[in-house]
Amino acid sequence: MSTRVLLVDDQAVVRAGIRVLIELTDDLIICGEAADGTQAVQMTRALKPDVVLMDIRMPRSDGITATRQITHDPDLADVRIIALTTFDTDEHLFGALAAGAAGFLLKDVEATHLQDAIRTVARGDSLLDPAITRRVLDELTQRATPTAHQPERLDQLTDREREATRLAATGLTNQQIAEHLHVSPHTAKTHINRAMTKLHARDRGQLVTIAYQTGLATLDPS
């Protein structure tokens, strides 16, 4: 089954370039294009794509606003968003993640990386551009200020769910988490899904953010 992608960017030449990269594959198809955030929301509601590639800076309605509108629409719960930008500033990065984006990539990403990113997000995982992942985790750690209610929030998790969440926050896939926990990939995925449900995380990206904000995961486990 093909993964349907909605491409959102205010520059036609950029959309054309990304379209070429995506259409090199047999399993990814462009189901539509939008030139601004307002069109992006309208077309997402009409087409219900699997993945939206969302530019950040656009006229009328920017990508962060559009992302927030899409992720807060119950009818679009299965739609996943990858934020695309030429900028890697914290303002845009954390704005996109806070709005509910499942991934964040710079526009100079290589074709195979972009294709793999779409597949990764479509199956429910999250991603960050490798070039900025370290800085993201640094910032999340600095922002992590556990409050009184947060330990109670984590207490909802079983030991296995806590450990699976902590491992996911380090960037491990379900397969790698399974190897660490000596369980099957299906069981690892179940632990992650249950943790997301209990912590009210829309997707894996939000689960990872919660893990760092609550102190469950840190850059330096020691």
Side-chain angles (χ1 to χ4, degrees), residues 28-50:
L28 306 177
I29 61 172
I30 299 293
C31 66
E33 296 184 19
D36 59 50
T38 301
Q39 287 184 359
V41 175
Q42 294 171 343
M43 294 186 70
T44 299
R45 287 172 176 158
L47 300 173
K48 290 186 170 57
D50 300 301

Side-chain angles (χ1 to χ4, degrees), residues 8 28 31 58-59 95 107 117 123 125 130 156 161 182 195 201:
V8 184
L28 306 177
C31 66
M58 296 182 293
K107 287 185 181 179
R123 65 173 178 259
D125 291 334
Q156 300 177 70
E161 290 163 357
H182 305 290

Side-chain angles (χ1 to χ4, degrees), residues 154-219:
L154 293 176
D155 284 345
Q156 300 177 70
L157 305 183
T158 66
D159 289 344
R160 284 290 189 169
E161 290 163 357
R162 289 170 66 97
E163 183 61 10
T165 298
R166 187 189 66 78
L167 292 171
T170 67
L172 298 188
T173 64
N174 288 340
Q175 178 66 46
Q176 293 168 325
I177 292 173
E179 293 172 359
H180 276 264
L181 297 181
H182 305 290
V183 298
S184 70
H186 175 74
T187 299
K189 183 178 181 179
T190 297
H191 290 324
I192 293 295
N193 288 342
R194 287 177 177 170
M196 288 194 295
T197 298
K198 291 179 179 180
L199 296 176
H200 304 290
R202 181 179 186 273
D203 54 34
R204 199 181 184 101
Q206 289 188 345
L207 182 67
V208 168
T209 300
I210 291 171
Y212 279 95
Q213 289 177 333
T214 58
L216 175 61
T218 62
L219 286 176

Side-chain angles (χ1 to χ4, degrees), residues 4-8 40 44 49-55 67 70 79-84 121:
R4 300 168 64 251
V5 181
L6 175 65
L7 179 55
V8 184
T44 299
D50 300 301
V51 176
V52 178
L53 291 181
M54 182 76 75
D55 187 20
T67 294
I70 292 170
V79 178
R80 294 290 177 260
I81 298 176
I82 298 177
L84 283 175
V121 168

